[in-house]
Amino acid sequence: MKSLDELDKLRQKLQQDMQVRDNDHEVRVTVSMGTCGIAAGAREIVQAMLEELKEQGLNNVALTQTSCVGLCQHEPLLEVARGGEKTTYINVDREKAREIVRKHLVQGQVIKDWTNPEK
Amino acid sequence: MEMYRSHVLVCAGAGCISSACKSVQTALMEHIDKHGLGKEVKVVETGCMGPCDLGPVVMIFPDGVFYRKLKPEDAAEIVSEHLLKGKVVQRLLHQPVGQTEKVTSFDQLDFFKRQTRIALRNTGVINPESVEEYIARDGYRALGQALSQMTPQQVVDTIKESGLRGRGGAGFPTGLKWEFTARATGSPKYVVCNADEGDPGAFMDRSILEGDPHSVLEAMAICGYAIGAAKGYIYVRAEYPLAVERLETAIAKAREYGLLGTNIFGTGFDFDVEIRVGAGAFVCGEETALLASIEGQRGEPRPKPPFPAQAGLWGKPTVINNVETWANVPPIILKGAQWFASIGTEKSKGTKVFALAGKVNNTGLVEVPMGTTLREIIFDIGGGIPGGKKFKAVQTGGPSGGCIPAEYLDTPVDYESLSKLGTIMGSGGMIIVDEDTCMVDLAKFFLEFVQEESCGKCAPCRIGTKRMLEILERITTGRGREGDIELLEELSQVIKSSALCGLGQTAPNPVLSTLRYFRSEYESHIRDKKCPAGACRSMLAYYINPEACKGCGLCSKLCPTEAITGEKKQPHVIDPDKCIKCGTCFEKCKFNAITTVN
Ligand SMILES: Cc1cc2nc3c(=O)[nH]c(=O)nc-3n(C[C@H](O)[C@H](O)[C@H](O)COP(=O)(O)O)c2cc1C
Ligand code: SF4
Ligand code: SF4
Ligand code: SF4
Ligand code: FES
């Protein structure tokens, strides 16, 4: 270790991997992964999300899963929760998932067209 | 490093290892692979999470779900339900005693909720074999900051102002100790970590070494900078092989990253650490004995002064601190003296780790701010006394300490208030006893321990504790005499004032403190030949309840002295004169017909 700067840079890189274990995430993305969700491709959504989060270098996002929320016809779906505000995206696919990371999580823009019409 | 959506933390502390956490971990990994989740879910081995009696335990992040008492067979369900579908597996959740609801997340558990973790900040949270995880949690940042932004004097001042006191027993101010050593003349100087941990019932040091070894290395290097030392030794007992192994790994990794060795952080500061494995004798935890043992001599204490700060290892100025003391140092440097001093009581700053053992529902490790009451620790965090029994006393400070009875449960725990009650903080062992424990017997247990561990160098300790033990044995077997209590008190005073080292000087404490609070128990043993707790076997009489006895004859076959007689299918009887109170009949009767009477 040549300097404190070097340590700080290394630490920031390593923290991305560890932030899953923090309990105070600013943003929580929840993917519905009941049997219906998985059948509709929720697993791929998670993969795509993970890849994009890494590419964008986003810290402080918790990616979790929940079981069927009862909107089976709209699966795969995922919810973004930031502060008290929640957005549910429906019929998500790999590309949409990546776009949600870029638009919603990075720029803070909700993509209204893909959200749950009933909420 | 890869990003994962979920981390599965498997406790690999000593408690969970003994309850076979490895096979649970293997099973989890197999099922994760089977479902192709290897890229999304990472399995991490950690040090002790604390609630050891619930082991093997697992925590799943980011949800923070806590599963306990796992078997390898449970792995399939955790993976297919929780990790795949996000459904919490209800049956594997913990349901605290006396509560109707199960708790889903670890931060809902009273056990975790009421803790403030400083020394244990990483234990149970990171993989102790990964320096990267330690760095991600701000590891080695305090060292970097100290070396590049602070003078050695500023480091000493920060520790002084924080109010940190030694966690190994006596509670001496850590910053002062560093200052004395920094100012002492003589070189080279040394830094030593006392990881001998001989107190029965205490295992916080082991947990830190096994769960977060880098925190100790980092702190020792910070001290090395502050006092002008380039070399540190960690003295670990041989009974802690896993701690030794993880320390070795940690030292190697730290050297690899240039965090130990030469020119650390490019500042020209050199520091390295070596491990010394001790034979595991209680007296080797005493600082002068420990230093002698590192030098390769017999681990026997020598008189103080001179203190190690003046003349320690090889006669050179030496700082020796306890593991938990060390673990507090990096956060103090990072967050500042004021932050640390704002936690705790006026004279006892920060937190203390306690090892709860004995008759308490949640045994394990807890870290709480100084000043937390005994009641909060034993009842709120520890979950109270099992089996509906009554709390009787808590022994703090191990063999050097004493017991505290129920009427003082609301005492805030800090160095001063414990010593007012005639006991000490010690290393933080808390042995909780219920109404079934005989206090004379408890005192005898600790005295037996120190008697065996006495190095024999000085007569008061070698012979005096032996005499005390003989008296206690006499009392607990119903042969106590008038005057025994006074004799115990006299011996205690003499030994306390004339023994050479802390072992002998504190050996009578458990006797004195039980006498202080439970004198009447001693008296009834001596005068009435009765043990009020019904624990001293030789004072009990065995008795067969004629209504419950089926006359099966098993007891009379097993009785070694033929004390039991009776016709087949008729109630049997015990001849008290022949009975030697071995307890065999009591244990073996299938109809619970045999009872003891006081
Ligand atoms: C008989 C005896 C046994 C001791 N055992 C230990 C021990 O196992 N671990 C420990 O840290 N300190 C032990 N101590 C206290 C040490 O002598 C010393 O005070 C301590 O290591 C100083 O570190 P601290 O200021 O960080 O507490 C023992 C003391 C005595 C008298
Ligand atoms: S007090 Fe006991 S342990 Fe200490 S030096 Fe004397 S004999 Fe040895
Ligand atoms: S073993 Fe129990 S039931 Fe059988 S004879 Fe003895 S006391 Fe009676
Ligand atoms: S306690 Fe032992 S000696 Fe006494 S009656 Fe029972 S078996 Fe016999
Ligand atoms: S060893 Fe696993 S909780 Fe203590």
Side-chain angles (χ1 to χ4, degrees):
Chain A
M1 202 59 63
K2 292 282 165 292
S3 68
L4 189 53
D5 263 1
E6 194 186 319
L7 180 78
D8 281 341
K9 288 211 184 82
L10 176 64
R11 182 175 47 122
Q12 271 155 23
K13 219 174 86 204
L14 297 173
Q15 266 174 350
Q16 234 191 31
D17 179 60
M18 289 287 284
Q19 46 111 355
V20 171
R21 276 175 245 177
D22 291 343
N23 248 25
D24 53 348
H25 300 278
E26 251 168 61
V27 183
R28 191 170 270 268
V29 177
T30 312
V31 180
S32 299
M33 288 179 76
T35 313
C36 47
I38 294 170
R43 294 279 305 285
E44 281 178 25
I45 311 296
V46 170
Q47 273 302 330
M49 274 261 160
L50 277 174
E51 286 159 21
E52 192 65 32
L53 285 171
K54 190 174 160 72
E55 268 166 43
Q56 299 292 331
L58 272 195
N59 284 328
N60 233 356
V61 175
L63 185 56
T64 70
Q65 77 281 57
T66 180
S67 46
C68 178
V69 290
L71 293 167
C72 308
Q73 74 274 30
H74 298 305
E75 293 276 15
L77 38 100
L78 65 80
E79 181 190 82
V80 176
R82 187 199 296 261
E85 178 207 335
K86 286 184 183 167
T87 313
T88 304
Y89 289 101
I90 57 172
N91 300 328
V92 183
D93 59 22
R94 285 186 71 90
E95 256 327 294
K96 282 182 175 173
R98 284 175 173 268
E99 189 69 11
I100 291 167
V101 174
R102 291 189 292 259
K103 279 254 172 63
H104 190 154
L105 301 186
V106 177
Q107 300 170 15
Q109 289 174 19
V110 177
I111 312 171
K112 288 241 171 58
D113 288 351
W114 300 344
T115 58
N116 176 15
E118 285 139 55
K119 268 197 185 168
Chain B
M1 271 203 205
E2 280 305 306
M3 246 184 114
Y4 293 87
R5 70 168 161 87
S6 178
H7 284 190
V8 176
L9 271 55
V10 183
C11 177
C16 288
I17 287 179
S18 69
S19 54
C21 62
K22 287 280 167 196
S23 54
V24 173
Q25 184 183 353
T26 314
L28 278 168
M29 286 168 40
E30 274 167 17
H31 286 279
I32 287 169
D33 272 350
K34 212 161 95 188
H35 284 91
L37 289 171
K39 279 213 167 109
E40 296 168 31
V41 179
K42 183 177 177 182
V43 177
V44 185
E45 251 180 61
T46 74
C48 172
M49 293 178 186
C52 310
D53 57 327
L54 298 178
V57 297
V58 160
M59 256 187 231
I60 299 187
F61 283 95
D63 340 34
V65 170
F66 175 77
Y67 293 129
R68 92 295 178 242
K69 293 194 179 162
L70 297 182
K71 297 196 187 65
E73 303 88 88
D74 299 326
E77 199 172 339
I78 294 178
V79 175
S80 68
E81 293 304 301
H82 187 147
L83 293 176
L84 197 57
K85 298 181 194 155
K87 265 196 233 157
V88 173
V89 185
Q90 293 293 327
R91 67 177 181 89
L92 301 175
L93 295 175
H94 180 51
Q95 182 164 359
V97 182
Q99 286 185 28
T100 46
E101 300 267 307
K102 293 190 168 184
V103 284
T104 309
S105 145
F106 76 95
D107 42 20
Q108 291 171 340
L109 274 175
D110 275 342
F111 186 83
F112 289 109
K113 202 160 56 183
R114 290 170 180 266
Q115 298 192 41
T116 304
R117 294 187 152 219
I118 300 174
L120 298 180
R121 65 195 176 281
N122 292 325
T123 334
V125 181
I126 65 168
N127 175 352
E129 297 189 356
S130 159
V131 66
E132 289 84 5
E133 293 203 354
Y134 181 69
I135 292 172
R137 303 258 308 175
D138 296 338
Y140 289 106
R141 215 175 177 277
L143 177 62
Q145 240 170 267
L147 295 186
S148 41
Q149 296 165 3
M150 296 167 87
T151 65
Q153 185 62 46
Q154 280 172 330
V155 175
V156 170
D157 287 342
T158 305
I159 300 300
K160 262 169 71 180
E161 282 158 26
S162 74
L164 175 64
R165 297 169 64 173
R167 303 297 196 236
F172 190 82
T174 306
L176 265 188
K177 198 186 265 188
W178 292 19
E179 180 155 70
F180 291 151
T181 318
R183 292 209 179 140
T185 50
S187 84
K189 292 176 180 172
Y190 295 101
V191 178
V192 172
C193 170
N194 186 342
D196 195 57
E197 195 162 58
D199 270 25
F203 59 101
M204 53 286 287
D205 292 351
R206 183 185 71 194
S207 283
I208 293 170
L209 296 172
E210 287 178 2
D212 191 21
H214 285 285
S215 68
V216 174
L217 301 179
E218 181 181 6
M220 290 175 74
I222 291 169
C223 176
Y225 173 69
I227 66 162
K231 181 90 202 216
Y233 291 92
I234 302 179
Y235 188 89
V236 204
R237 55 172 45 223
E239 284 92 332
Y240 286 180
L242 186 61
V244 173
E245 197 186 304
R246 296 222 168 120
L247 274 171
E248 275 167 356
T249 309
I251 292 172
K253 287 274 180 80
R255 283 183 189 146
E256 218 172 89
Y257 273 88
L259 295 160
L260 285 179
T262 52
N263 195 19
I264 300 170
F265 284 104
T267 59
F269 172 67
D270 305 338
F271 192 81
D272 213 335
V273 174
E274 268 183 52
I275 301 172
R276 286 286 180 273
V277 179
F282 181 59
V283 74
C284 285
E286 196 281 334
E287 52 192 15
T288 61
L290 185 148
L291 296 174
S293 179
I294 294 181
E295 291 171 7
Q297 298 163 19
R298 284 181 65 145
E300 282 181 3
R302 61 156 176 82
K304 291 187 280 187
F307 290 93
Q310 259 77 45
L313 260 190
W314 294 289
K316 304 297 181 189
T318 302
V319 162
I320 171 164
N321 277 134
N322 162 266
V323 172
E324 188 187 333
T325 315
W326 288 119
N328 278 294
V329 167
I332 293 174
I333 299 291
L334 277 182
K335 300 186 179 177
Q338 294 321 313
W339 161 77
F340 191 79
S342 71
I343 302 163
T345 65
E346 199 196 329
K347 289 189 178 149
S348 304
K349 300 300 187 189
T351 56
K352 178 75 192 90
V353 182
F354 294 102
L356 299 183
K359 297 292 172 57
V360 63
N361 276 315
N362 308 328
T363 57
L365 283 188
V366 301
E367 181 172 355
V368 292
M370 296 273 191
T372 305
T373 66
L374 285 167
R375 190 185 299 282
E376 286 171 276
I377 297 172
I378 297 165
F379 287 87
D380 298 342
I381 302 176
I385 316 301
K389 298 274 182 179
K390 273 222 302 277
F391 169 86
K392 185 164 186 181
V394 51
Q395 168 85 13
T396 76
S400 313
C403 64
I404 303 174
E407 57 192 293
Y408 296 106
L409 270 174
D410 290 310
T411 306
V413 179
D414 59 31
Y415 293 100
E416 277 71 29
S417 36
L418 290 188
S419 83
K420 255 187 238 147
L421 294 177
T423 180
I424 57 166
M425 181 87 74
S427 59
M430 277 197 180
I431 300 177
I432 291 124
V433 299
D434 67 10
E435 53 191 304
D436 293 340
T437 303
C438 166
M439 299 310 281
V440 189
D441 195 47
L442 183 73
K444 194 179 92 187
F445 167 80
F446 285 109
L447 209 68
E448 253 164 21
F449 178 83
V450 295
Q451 220 280 313
E452 267 167 33
E453 297 287 340
S454 165
C455 79
K457 193 168 175 176
C458 65
C461 172
R462 185 182 66 238
I463 306 168
T465 57
K466 178 92 184 148
R467 290 291 97 84
M468 285 182 76
L469 186 56
E470 284 166 4
I471 299 170
L472 289 173
E473 254 152 21
R474 189 155 86 206
I475 296 176
T476 51
T477 49
R479 294 173 291 120
R481 311 172 193 145
E482 282 303 322
D484 272 352
I485 294 180
E486 292 69 23
L487 196 53
L488 279 175
E489 283 172 332
E490 195 188 328
L491 277 167
S492 295
Q493 295 316 331
V494 174
I495 297 168
K496 271 173 91 83
S497 58
S498 58
L500 175 63
C501 87
L503 189 147
Q505 287 155 8
T506 60
N509 286 352
V511 176
L512 288 174
S513 93
T514 43
L515 268 173
R516 173 168 171 180
Y517 297 116
F518 298 95
R519 199 181 185 92
S520 65
E521 276 193 38
Y522 280 82
E523 287 165 352
S524 60
H525 278 79
I526 296 172
R527 288 186 199 142
D528 315 327
K529 311 290 175 219
K530 284 214 162 95
C531 172
C536 292
R537 224 182 212 182
S538 51
M539 291 194 187
L540 301 173
Y542 286 86
Y543 164 78
I544 296 177
N545 175 0
E547 267 153 44
C549 176
K550 301 271 184 254
C552 72
L554 180 67
C555 57
S556 69
K557 271 199 213 95
L558 294 171
C559 175
T561 59
E562 298 180 348
I564 307 180
T565 48
E567 295 293 314
K568 258 208 154 16
K569 303 212 169 137
Q570 295 298 314
H572 283 45
V573 284
I574 298 176
D575 177 353
D577 293 334
K578 283 194 187 158
C579 172
I580 54 164
K581 298 168 183 176
C582 69
T584 308
C585 58
F586 175 75
E587 279 154 29
K588 292 286 151 72
C589 172
K590 293 189 180 78
F591 305 97
N592 292 328
I594 305 184
T595 51
T596 51
V597 283
N598 221 333

